[in-house]
Amino acid sequence: PIGAEPLPPPPLVVFSGCGTSGRIAFACARAGNALLREHGMPPMFTYIISGGDTALVCSVELPEDDPASGRAALEAEEGRHFGAWGGHTQVMVVGVTCGLSAPFVCALMPS
C-alpha cells in the first residue's frame, strides 16, 4: 500500500562448523538461499567453516582448536558479507558440531 513502511531486512542466519560439519553448514546455507531465490526472496543464510573456503575441499584441522580463529572468522564474515551485518537487526549463529567439542565453533556462541 501507498505510504507503507519498507520491510526490515530478513534475519541473517550464520551456519558454522569444522571439517565435515563445516561442509554441512556450507550446504545448508547454499540450499536455503537457493530455495529463497526460487520464491523471489532475498538470501538470508551464510556460513563460516574453520580453515576458510579451502577447508571445503581439503582438510584444514589446526583452526578447529583455536577459539580466537573462530571469533576472527565471525568478525571477518560480518565485514565481508554486509558490514555491520547490513542493517540486520537479528543475527543467529548455528553451530554444526559433534558434541560442541570444537573450540572454533564454541567461540562463535554467545556466552
Side-chain angles (χ1 to χ4, degrees):
I2 296 175
E5 293 185 30
L7 293 173
L12 180 66
V13 180
V14 181
F15 290 100
S16 179
C18 304
T20 300
S21 297
R23 292 178 196 97
I24 292 170
F26 166 79
C28 288
R30 293 290 302 231
N33 286 334
L35 186 60
L36 290 172
R37 279 196 229 30
E38 284 179 21
H39 294 283
M41 299 171 68
M44 61 183 276
F45 301 104
T46 189
Y47 70 95
I48 298 172
I49 182 170
S50 67
D53 286 348
T54 300
L56 292 170
V57 294
C58 298
S59 178
V60 182
E61 297 180 9
L62 190 57
E64 293 179 18
D65 297 321
D66 182 8
S69 177
R71 287 187 296 276
L74 185 61
E75 290 171 8
E77 183 66 14
E78 177 183 2
R80 180 195 71 78
H81 205 341
F82 294 111
W85 299 119
H88 289 270
T89 56
Q90 298 174 334
V91 178
M92 179 172 62
V93 177
V94 178
V96 182
T97 178
C98 297
L100 200 57
S101 60
F104 180 96
V105 175
C106 292
L108 303 178
M109 301 299 124
S111 29

